[in-house]
Amino acid sequence: MPTDVDDVYTRVYDAVLEQRLLPGTKLPEERLAEIFSVNRARIRQVLARLQHERIVDLVPNRGAFVARPTAEESDDVLEARRVIEPAVLRRLVERATTTDLDHLDEHVAAERRSHHDGLEAEAIRLSGEFHNLLADLAGNTALAHTMRELSALTCLVILVHHAPTASACRPDDHESILRAVRDRDADAAVAAVLTHLDLVGASLTFTETGSDADLDAVFASR
């Protein structure tokens, strides 16, 4: 059971990435404090951090809710990724070591296993983490931090706007990106990630959905 702010933050962030926490879900401080066996001050720190990253909305006199990106905000997220990820990949192509490439290979293989075994939540989380890993290995902490925020927001966009998981999170796309990085072909890597983001954008319907979630069930046995 998590006992510090970083641990609780990671649990909530992963629940968003796995699409177990739905957009619009209320996040009561008292209930979260009970679930994680921490005081409410720590929960407030976590919620403030998530608000700063736009993953949580804090509404005066109502409390904290998982964000529900609008159509305009969703476009902004994807536009930001189209700017950020080419920079990440160009830097990664220059810097990636053999160990880095092997790490990416292992990650994509884990994604494929999760899809094959029908572990949808795990596959979704690994898909988001692939892009985070690219940014981490590129070695720019500001880019890596921004990528973590955008990955979680993209998961919320997919949930709110009906993007089918099968088309929005495809391991084949990640394999194409990785192949280009391994070949040290920055232009091909950039083209692959932009195609990937275009497919995500094309899968959105911009008809809002999402509902509340049972917090006990979301965080049970994890």
Side-chain angles (χ1 to χ4, degrees):
M1 184 62 63
T3 57
D4 64 31
V5 170
D6 286 341
D7 286 340
V8 176
Y9 166 86
T10 298
R11 289 279 298 278
V12 178
Y13 177 89
D14 284 350
V16 171
L17 213 60
E18 292 183 356
Q19 300 185 352
R20 291 182 288 113
L21 268 181
L22 303 178
T25 298
K26 189 168 185 178
L27 301 172
E29 287 181 11
E30 184 174 358
R31 188 71 201 101
L32 289 173
E34 291 173 358
I35 290 170
F36 293 120
S37 299
V38 298
N39 61 43
R40 292 179 65 176
R42 289 184 175 177
I43 296 299
R44 282 193 290 273
Q45 287 180 267
V46 170
L47 294 176
R49 181 174 171 184
L50 292 165
Q51 181 196 33
H52 180 72
E53 296 175 353
R54 298 182 297 156
I55 297 167
V56 162
D57 292 328
L58 296 181
V59 183
N61 302 317
R62 293 187 58 206
F65 298 82
V66 179
R68 294 177 58 89
T70 65
E72 182 177 1
E73 290 167 340
S74 301
D75 280 340
D76 288 348
V77 168
L78 293 178
E79 182 180 357
R81 289 189 62 168
R82 290 186 184 99
V83 173
I84 293 292
E85 295 203 60
V88 165
L89 285 166
R90 291 192 184 281
R91 184 177 174 89
L92 180 60
V93 164
E94 291 180 359
R95 295 169 55 93
T97 65
T98 299
T99 300
D100 293 337
L101 295 172
D102 289 344
H103 193 176
L104 288 164
D105 274 330
E106 291 168 4
H107 190 96
V108 172
E111 275 189 74
R112 189 164 288 285
R113 284 194 302 273
S114 295
H115 279 279
H116 179 268
D117 295 341
L119 303 174
E120 183 176 359
E122 179 179 298
I124 293 168
R125 174 177 55 79
L126 288 170
S127 177
E129 287 179 351
F130 173 78
H131 295 271
N132 295 346
L133 182 57
L134 293 175
D136 288 342
L137 296 177
N140 182 307
T141 56
L143 287 176
H145 177 81
T146 302
M147 194 66 247
R148 279 185 60 83
E149 177 183 327
L150 293 173
S151 291
L153 287 170
T154 302
C155 285
L156 294 175
V157 167
I158 289 169
L159 271 174
V160 172
H161 299 294
H162 296 281
T165 297
S167 60
C169 305
R170 305 192 311 180
D172 289 349
D173 291 355
H174 293 172
E175 289 175 357
S176 297
I177 295 166
L178 177 53
R179 187 162 50 249
V181 173
R182 187 174 283 281
D183 290 342
R184 305 293 177 176
D185 189 336
D187 289 341
V190 168
V193 79
L194 291 178
T195 297
H196 177 56
L197 293 173
D198 286 344
L199 288 171
V200 173
S203 69
L204 302 176
T205 65
F206 295 111
T207 302
E208 292 194 8
T209 188
S211 58
D212 226 356
D214 181 340
L215 297 181
D216 290 284
V218 167
F219 295 112
S221 303
R222 290 177 180 266

